[in-house]
Amino acid sequence: MNVVGVFDSGIGGLTVAREICAQLPGVDLVYLGDTARLPYGAKSPDTVSRYALQCVRFLEDVQIEVLVIACNTASACAIPALRKTYPAIPVLGVVEPGAQAAVNASKTGSIGVIGTEGTVNSNSYAEAIQALDPSARVVQKPCPLLVPLAEVGWLDHAVTELTLQTYLKPLLEGTAEHDPIDTLVLGCTHYPALKPAIRKTLKSMAPDRSIALVDSAEAVTNELSKLTGDKPGLGSRRIFVTDLPQRFTRVANTFWQGPLPEATHVDL
Ligand code: DGL
């Protein structure tokens, strides 16, 4: 299985595509970003599922052999519908591999999850973590401002630092219901780009604690490597977007290092 479809609501999924290309350079990668309809993070589960089903129809037409849902919100809301509608294509989302990586990383079982409103409201990370370790305690925080901050490239900006401090404070302090976290799941495509800022914020707010960061792009790529064959593909890269590609190409640098393959506009 060497033709890998990567689906995202837009641009951030390039963090997952980048990880796949770095770890599995021989795969033939087809990326589809639904830039005409992003963001998915504040939309209802039904709308996200409907959009995801339309997008994957396109990827089925270009004959992908395995599908990676890079978008955390779509992984959280649309996987059952996708598996039902496209039974011939193995579907990997980011939630299950991310949950497994979090359980492996946590020593205390107190795990934080940050993501979009859609991902947090779905409770899917918490359910996946608790299915693996029923004693784990999961505390979640929607962080809707982080996607636009990453897209404008404010990766090392005082506004981003203050935003992170505000979002992360309750996870670090703990409450009567949960201990301070020792592991934080980056449950959104954009957050790997903010890793240095997140590390810096955690260090400044909890200097004596070591908090593991779980990057679900890495976790899903490890899962994918079990499905891709020993015989490499041609290492081709194709990128499709549903809006005109100019903004995608301009913003992409934050999420993809190196020369970006040309993005082609498609109407679904
Ligand atoms: N790709 C989305 C996710 O990982 C973030 C951007 C959006 O809200 O569409 O949840």
Side-chain angles (χ1 to χ4, degrees), residues 14-203:
L14 288 174
T15 54
V16 176
R18 178 183 70 186
E19 189 65 33
I20 293 172
C21 293
Q23 281 194 43
L24 304 168
V27 301
D28 294 310
L29 185 126
V30 187
Y31 182 93
L32 175 63
D34 192 8
T35 47
R37 298 185 292 197
L38 68 80
Y40 280 15
K43 296 195 167 71
S44 70
D46 282 358
T47 299
V48 171
S49 289
R50 187 156 47 81
Y51 289 173
L53 287 167
Q54 286 169 5
C55 288
V56 175
R57 193 182 316 136
F58 170 82
L59 289 169
E60 186 191 37
D61 287 347
V62 296
Q63 295 181 348
I64 60 162
E65 294 169 320
V66 53
L67 172 65
V68 174
I69 310 294
C71 178
N72 285 251
T73 311
S75 294
C77 300
I79 294 240
L82 289 169
R83 289 196 173 131
K84 189 162 162 231
T85 310
Y86 301 100
I89 304 175
V91 179
L92 294 179
V94 282
V95 172
E96 283 160 16
Q100 182 69 64
V103 169
N104 295 346
S106 180
K107 293 191 175 67
T108 63
S110 186
I111 297 171
V113 176
I114 53 174
T116 65
E117 288 172 86
T119 298
V120 168
N121 290 343
S122 76
N123 215 30
S124 57
Y125 270 108
E127 282 168 12
I129 289 168
Q130 269 151 358
L132 294 164
D133 175 5
S135 69
R137 290 160 319 283
V138 181
V139 50
Q140 305 186 77
K141 181 81 187 160
C143 302
L145 293 175
L146 297 184
V147 165
L149 287 170
E151 291 198 2
V152 295
W154 286 12
L155 305 183
D156 181 23
H157 192 289
V159 170
T160 307
E161 205 173 321
L162 191 60
T163 308
L164 281 167
Q165 284 168 5
T166 310
Y167 284 143
L168 295 177
K169 194 164 182 272
L171 281 66
L172 290 173
E173 284 180 344
T175 63
E177 285 84 47
H178 74 85
D179 297 333
I181 60 163
D182 80 337
T183 300
L184 180 64
V185 178
L186 308 182
C188 175
T189 45
H190 291 57
Y191 301 172
L194 293 166
K195 245 192 227 176
I198 293 171
R199 280 215 183 91
K200 190 172 157 199
T201 307
L202 292 173
K203 192 96 208 122

